[in-house]
């Protein structure tokens, strides 16, 4: 669904609330030419206490951390961006939505060096349903191991959520979809499992849970961190610094993706190998995750900002 079909009309840009169609940038903006921006994806859930933003602080921290290697100065405090986001949600009467803060080098001059290019900061919110298809959460998705590899973390900081990185995700995801799959799994330079184009990956074997470690060219997903905590609190052993070989995908008892957009999505097939319908551990974690984010439990209340 395109933005024009959505009931949203306001964007926060550089300190002001502007009409949706006025949130423009120049075609010679640095960020457009060189992918020199950082962004976040955050969800706000519909709860009995009203809209609740999930893990604002962690997302804001990651935004500032992502900007550091690029010396991209973000002249707004987390609290200011959080208040602007809450105001966007209130003004547009949204009960639940996706939140997209972005900061990038704007318009001044071109050339790889951003020199005097100012930082543009914007936040948009809009309704965003299930990421990987209507029935993905229940029935799982079919994925293809991509022929594209993830950037090595010696080539680009893969733990920074940088706009330019996502052409790699696009190549992997579109390749998978051209072959009839819903999503890709991307291997790292060593040929081990990294993550999806926009998701982290978890594997279940013999009742224990594994997810690639931070040195495997992954984004340290906030859903990943939340699922690790939730799974441990449910009593599971979670190996969160695992190295997972490609072959282990085939012998997994269960596989699932995590991400802000993807939430907790089971994987039912990898290439020609059937993993199976949503497994019991995936189901337990997924159901607990939705109980948490939709606030059907009092636990983890410090993960939420009520709008
Ligand atoms: N890895 C990548 C490469 C990634 O883009 C995401 C989020 C994750 C892992 C999971 O991170 P987290 O959201 O903090 O749990 N992908 C975002 C972008 C999706 C898009 O299509 O745009 C997201 O889920 O918001």
């Amino acid at each position: 669904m395109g933005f024009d079909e959505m009931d949203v009309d306001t964007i926060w840009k550089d300190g002001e609330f502007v009409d949706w169609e006025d949130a423009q940038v120049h075609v010679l903006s640095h960020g457009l030419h060189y992918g020199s921006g950082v962004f976040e994806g955050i969800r706000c859930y519909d709860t009995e206490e009203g809209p609740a933003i999930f893990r604002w602080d962690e997302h804001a921290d990651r935004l500032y951390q992502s900007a550091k290697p690029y010396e991209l100065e973000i002249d707004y405090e987390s609290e200011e961006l959080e208040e602007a986001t809450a105001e966007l949600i209130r003004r547009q009467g949204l009960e639940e939505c996706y939140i997209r803060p972005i900061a990038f080098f704007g318009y001044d001059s071109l050339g790889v060096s951003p020199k005097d290019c100012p930082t543009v900061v914007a936040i948009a919110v809009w309704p965003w349903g299930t990421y990987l298809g209507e029935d993905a959460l229940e029935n799982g998705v079919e994925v293809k191991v991509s022929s594209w590899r993830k950037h090595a973390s010696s080539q680009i900081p893969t733990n920074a959520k940088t706009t330019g990185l996502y052409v790699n995700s696009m190549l992997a995801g579109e390749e998978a979809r051209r072959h009839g799959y819903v999503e890709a799994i991307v291997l790292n330079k060593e040929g081990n499992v990294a993550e999806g184009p926009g998701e982290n990956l978890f594997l279940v074997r013999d009742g224990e849970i594994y997810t690639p470690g931070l040195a495997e060219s992954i984004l340290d997903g906030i859903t990943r961190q939340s699922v690790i905590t939730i799974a441990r609190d449910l009593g599971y052993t979670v190996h969160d610094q695992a190295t997972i070989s490609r072959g282990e995908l085939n012998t997994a008892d269960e596989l699932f993706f995590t991400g802000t957009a993807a939430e907790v999505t089971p994987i039912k097939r990898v290439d020609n190998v059937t993993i199976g319908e949503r497994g019991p551990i995936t189901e337990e974690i997924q159901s607990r995750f939705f109980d948490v984010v939709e606030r059907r439990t009092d636990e983890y209340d410090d993960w939420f900002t009520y709008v």
Side-chain angles (χ1 to χ4, degrees), residues 23 44 82 114 145 151 188 196 220 254 264:
C44 174
E82 185 178 26
V145 174
H151 314 89
N188 61 23
D220 186 8
E254 302 178 29
V264 178

Side-chain angles (χ1 to χ4, degrees), residues 173-184:
E174 294 308 295
E175 176 190 57
R177 285 181 276 278
R178 270 199 300 279
H179 286 84
Y181 295 85
V182 172
E183 189 58 304

Side-chain angles (χ1 to χ4, degrees), residues 21-219:
E21 52 278 11
D22 294 335
Q24 308 279 0
V25 292
H26 198 280
V27 292
L28 298 181
S29 296
H30 193 278
L32 181 60
H33 290 250
Y34 308 116
S36 56
V38 298
F39 69 106
E40 274 303 318
I42 310 169
R43 272 193 195 265
C44 174
Y45 286 94
D46 181 12
T47 76
E48 269 186 8
E49 312 291 313
I53 302 172
F54 184 52
R55 308 204 74 173
W56 173 272
D57 290 346
E58 290 77 4
H59 282 284
D61 277 355
R62 192 171 65 186
L63 184 73
Y64 296 112
Q65 298 289 357
S66 294
K68 270 190 190 170
Y70 302 103
E71 298 184 23
L72 175 72
E73 308 257 354
I74 300 175
D75 291 332
Y76 298 92
E77 304 289 334
S78 169
E79 292 70 30
E80 294 174 271
L81 300 180
E82 185 178 26
E83 181 43 39
T85 301
E87 183 59 22
L88 282 174
I89 295 167
R90 286 190 291 260
R91 280 199 193 191
Q92 297 173 99
L94 295 163
E95 264 142 27
E96 58 188 342
C97 61
Y98 184 81
I99 303 162
R100 171 57 57 85
I102 183 165
F104 57 94
F105 285 109
Y107 173 78
D108 176 71
S109 54
L110 280 180
V112 170
S113 171
K115 285 188 285 217
D116 295 325
C117 293
T119 305
V120 178
V121 186
I123 306 170
V125 304
W126 66 86
W128 198 352
T130 326
Y131 188 51
L132 297 174
E134 277 290 289
D135 68 340
L137 294 175
E138 201 179 319
N139 297 324
V141 292
E142 302 187 341
V143 304
K144 179 184 180 359
V145 174
S146 183
S147 69
W148 294 100
R149 296 289 174 91
K150 203 71 200 184
H151 314 89
S153 54
S154 57
Q155 295 170 315
I156 197 157
T158 50
N159 59 344
K161 201 167 166 65
T162 310
T163 58
L165 283 175
Y166 281 81
V167 289
N168 176 264
S169 292
M170 182 177 139
L171 287 167
E174 294 308 295
E175 176 190 57
R177 285 181 276 278
R178 270 199 300 279
H179 286 84
Y181 295 85
V182 172
E183 189 58 304
I185 289 177
V186 191
L187 306 178
N188 61 23
K189 188 168 150 278
E190 290 71 38
N192 295 318
V193 176
E195 60 180 354
E199 307 89 356
N200 290 113
L201 183 128
F202 283 75
L203 178 152
V204 179
R205 195 178 53 234
D206 297 334
E208 298 193 354
I209 299 170
Y210 300 78
T211 193
L214 300 182
E216 305 295 323
S217 290
I218 65 158
L219 183 74

Side-chain angles (χ1 to χ4, degrees), residues 199-301:
E199 307 89 356
N200 290 113
L201 183 128
F202 283 75
L203 178 152
V204 179
R205 195 178 53 234
D206 297 334
E208 298 193 354
I209 299 170
Y210 300 78
T211 193
L214 300 182
E216 305 295 323
S217 290
I218 65 158
L219 183 74
D220 186 8
I222 287 152
T223 321
R224 173 186 184 275
Q225 296 166 15
S226 307
V227 161
I228 291 167
T229 302
I230 287 171
R232 285 185 179 146
D233 289 350
L234 288 170
Y236 289 105
T237 299
V238 184
H239 306 270
D240 66 356
Q241 300 298 324
T243 299
I244 299 176
S245 67
R246 178 174 182 170
E248 286 174 271
L249 294 171
N250 305 329
T251 55
D253 296 331
E254 302 178 29
L255 290 174
F256 60 91
F257 277 138
T258 66
T260 297
E263 299 172 305
V264 178
T265 301
I267 296 171
K268 66 175 169 192
R269 188 153 71 89
V270 181
D271 294 312
N272 57 324
V273 176
T274 299
I275 308 300
E277 298 302 306
R278 175 175 62 185
I281 294 179
T282 305
E283 187 168 355
E284 187 184 358
I285 289 170
Q286 188 191 50
S287 125
R288 181 71 177 152
F289 176 81
F290 282 108
D291 282 347
V292 170
V293 295
E294 289 163 5
R295 304 311 296 129
R296 287 187 292 272
T297 165
D298 292 338
E299 282 172 78
Y300 313 105
D301 202 48

